[in-house]
């Protein structure tokens, strides 16, 4: 404990078992967990970390004397923020803690930004389709579901041209035409899988 405090950090609690570690995280909600793999109790540190990940989005750093490949593989399945083999070097530990907390804060900010972004897309009055580089739909907003007469589970993962038959002056226009364009293209209407013709002011552009 003194070792950690000497680095300038505050310790909420130290517990000997995996079960207690999970309960302590629930009660105190710390910024970070330092976890040994070999613990008393019925679950080891890796299982405790897995349960912590399910309950709270809290970074976990393993401090352990276990360095065999099987243990490391198990530990990696919990997506730890660090894996330090004892004996622990002070500078290495401080760097690992600082980096884990910084990365966690950045990930939280990114998630908040993505949530705001998708909240905005869900609330606007235009249909929005987002595609990956293979032209598969990865996101649609409620308006997109409404105009295609398809639910989100019928749209996600489908190729864009499977869902929408885009027409320009009555001629079918493939998505490759759009991808090769320097600027967004505007179309007249599309035909849904059910055969309904929907007039649109439709624009497509690249997102870097």
């Amino acid at each position: 404990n003194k070792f950690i405090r000497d680095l300038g950090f505050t310790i909420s609690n130290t517990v000997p078992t995996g079960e207690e570690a999970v309960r302590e995280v629930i009660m105190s909600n710390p910024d970070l967990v330092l976890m040994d793999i070999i613990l008393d109790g019925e679950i080891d540190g890796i299982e405790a970390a897995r349960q912590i990940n399910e309950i709270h989005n809290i970074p976990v750093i393993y401090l352990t004397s276990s360095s065999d490949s099987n243990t490391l593989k198990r530990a990696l399945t919990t997506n730890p923020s660090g894996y330090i083999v004892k004996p622990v070097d002070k500078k290495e530990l401080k760097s690992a803690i600082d980096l884990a907390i910084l990365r966690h804060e950045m990930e939280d900010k990114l998630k908040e930004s993505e949530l705001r972004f998708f909240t905005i897309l869900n609330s606007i009055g235009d249909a929005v389709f987002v595609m990956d580089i293979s032209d598969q739909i990865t996101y649609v907003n409620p308006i997109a579901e409404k105009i295609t007469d398809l639910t989100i589970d019928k749209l996600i993962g489908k190729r864009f041209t499977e869902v929408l038959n885009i027409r320009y002056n009555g001629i079918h226009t493939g998505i490759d035409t759009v991808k090769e364009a320097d600027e967004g293209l505007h179309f007249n209407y599309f035909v849904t899988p059910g055969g309904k013709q929907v007039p649109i002011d439709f624009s497509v552009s690249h997102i870097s």
Side-chain angles (χ1 to χ4, degrees):
N1 286 359
K2 184 177 183 300
F3 186 93
I4 303 298
R5 290 192 179 96
D6 287 345
L7 295 175
F9 301 108
T10 301
I11 300 174
S12 62
N13 202 357
T14 302
V15 295
T17 70
E19 293 86 350
E20 288 176 282
V22 175
R23 286 196 295 271
E24 179 62 30
V25 166
I26 294 173
M27 290 187 295
S28 62
N29 192 28
D31 295 323
L32 180 136
V33 176
L34 297 177
M35 181 77 75
D36 202 334
I37 289 177
I38 301 174
L39 299 172
D40 295 330
E42 296 184 1
I43 64 174
D44 64 6
I46 296 175
E47 175 58 22
R50 185 189 66 77
Q51 293 185 22
I52 288 170
N53 284 337
E54 290 179 352
I55 300 167
H56 282 295
N57 180 26
I58 294 174
V60 175
I61 294 177
Y62 290 111
L63 299 179
T64 178
S65 57
S66 302
S67 58
D68 64 279
S69 60
N70 288 334
T71 300
L72 178 58
K73 286 179 182 178
R74 279 190 63 220
L76 290 177
T77 63
T78 64
N79 192 29
S81 296
Y83 190 100
I84 300 176
V85 178
K86 299 176 181 178
V88 178
D89 178 79
K90 272 191 176 184
K91 289 183 178 180
E92 180 185 5
L93 179 58
K94 187 175 189 312
S95 295
I97 293 174
D98 288 341
L99 182 60
I101 292 175
L102 177 62
R103 188 178 75 173
H104 183 67
E105 290 174 350
M106 293 176 65
E107 289 174 349
D108 278 351
K109 288 179 181 178
L110 178 60
K111 289 177 182 176
E112 290 176 5
S113 177
E114 289 177 344
L115 179 60
R116 286 195 298 270
F117 175 71
F118 286 114
T119 299
I120 292 170
L121 291 184
N122 282 335
S123 64
I124 64 177
D126 296 323
V128 177
F129 298 84
V130 178
M131 298 175 295
D132 61 18
I133 58 174
S134 62
D135 302 336
Q136 288 188 329
I137 298 171
T138 60
Y139 166 83
V140 295
N141 69 347
I143 299 298
E145 293 182 84
K146 182 177 180 180
I147 66 171
T148 59
D149 291 332
L150 294 172
T151 58
I152 189 170
D153 60 303
K154 300 291 185 181
L155 291 167
I156 300 299
K158 295 289 182 64
R159 288 179 63 87
F160 187 76
T161 49
E162 290 180 63
V163 177
L164 299 182
N165 182 352
I166 305 170
R167 299 279 173 162
Y168 178 70
N169 290 337
I171 302 172
H172 174 70
T173 302
I175 195 66
D176 288 337
T177 304
V178 176
K179 291 168 66 177
E180 293 170 1
D182 292 330
E183 298 179 356
L185 298 180
H186 295 269
F187 306 100
N188 302 124
Y189 65 90
F190 69 82
V191 181
T192 69
K196 182 173 70 175
Q197 189 176 111
V198 181
I200 51 171
D201 179 10
F202 189 110
S203 65
V204 181
S205 58
H206 303 277
I207 300 177
S208 300

